[in-house]
Amino acid sequence: TSPFAWLRTRFYYLLIRLYFDQEFSIEEFTRGAKQAFSVVSKLLSQRKLDLLEELVSAEVLQVLKEKISLLPDNHRDALAADIDAIMYTTEGDVRIYYDDDGIKFVSILMCFWYLNGANLPDDVPGEAKVFQIVFGDENTKEKKHLLTANYEFQREFTEGAKPDWTITRIEHPRLLE
């Protein structure tokens, strides 16, 4: 990320701690986001969308129901991310906003890079290349793809609101389109 974006996100984290949640820690949030990403991606892969109702917004869940039903099996398999297969995680955009009724929200976009052994074609259409990593020697080689996903987490900070983060955007480029 650019130095400006890094400073901007750090400033927003400071605002979150000062005005919304004095206990907020980006390290702790990132650990929880990785765990949520792993659980949600596996449930998507298994088509267990009814188990996502507490984790994912109703609007996103409706879109996912339509998209998942149309996915080929190999793309659906590629959605699943084991927590140990997450290679890199970074924060994207951080937003603090109020709606017309004065309700306070914080949104944090998390970007994940993970390894997956799904049987995807070597040439995936699209602008970005899907990276392949081969483990082992010639006799026992195992091919894995380095895939990306973007999940946006949102929490309401109005007094009396539940202290839960909800996933309000799920993107798996070239898989869930």
Side-chain angles (χ1 to χ4, degrees):
T1 59
S2 73
F4 175 75
W6 185 87
L7 283 172
R8 183 177 165 271
T9 58
R10 295 309 176 260
F11 176 70
Y12 276 116
Y13 298 148
L14 176 64
L15 290 177
I16 293 168
R17 277 193 299 276
L18 290 174
Y19 295 106
F20 299 107
D21 182 359
Q22 295 175 349
E23 303 295 319
F24 180 81
S25 157
I26 189 56
E27 293 80 15
E28 185 178 324
F29 175 83
T30 300
R31 277 192 297 276
K34 284 172 75 171
Q35 185 175 18
F37 165 62
S38 179
V39 168
V40 169
S41 67
K42 287 177 186 175
L43 291 173
L44 286 173
S45 176
Q46 298 165 0
R47 292 186 180 164
K48 295 182 178 178
L49 301 179
D50 54 322
L51 298 177
L52 296 175
E53 289 179 8
E54 297 292 319
L55 303 170
V56 177
S57 72
E59 298 83 15
V60 171
L61 194 55
Q62 185 59 40
V63 171
L64 288 172
K65 286 179 180 179
E66 295 169 14
K67 289 183 176 184
I68 292 292
S69 66
L70 302 173
L71 279 184
D73 288 344
N74 61 342
H75 282 218
R76 207 179 68 247
D77 292 343
L79 296 175
D82 188 61
I83 197 158
D84 295 331
I86 300 172
M87 304 307 293
Y88 183 71
T89 304
T90 189
E91 315 93 46
D93 193 25
V94 179
R95 293 181 290 143
I96 298 172
Y97 56 96
Y98 298 81
D99 74 0
D100 293 337
D101 298 323
I103 299 174
K104 301 179 263 189
F105 293 97
V106 171
S107 291
I108 301 175
L109 178 66
M110 296 297 293
C111 307
F112 303 97
W113 284 261
Y114 64 102
L115 290 175
N116 183 287
N119 186 22
L120 293 174
D122 290 342
D123 294 327
V124 177
E127 295 177 14
K129 180 97 173 121
V130 174
F131 295 98
Q132 296 178 15
I133 300 169
V134 178
F135 296 96
D137 59 20
E138 286 299 315
N139 299 327
T140 61
K141 65 182 177 181
E142 177 185 5
K143 184 169 67 169
K144 295 210 178 228
H145 297 274
L146 182 62
L147 302 170
T148 62
N150 302 310
Y151 281 46
E152 183 178 62
F153 295 84
Q154 182 182 84
R155 179 177 167 194
E156 181 182 341
F157 280 96
T158 308
E159 191 171 324
K162 293 190 319 183
D164 298 333
W165 290 89
T166 302
I167 298 171
T168 56
R169 183 167 86 192
I170 294 178
E171 297 172 343
H172 284 263
R174 295 175 309 280
L175 296 175
L176 242 184
E177 295 180 340

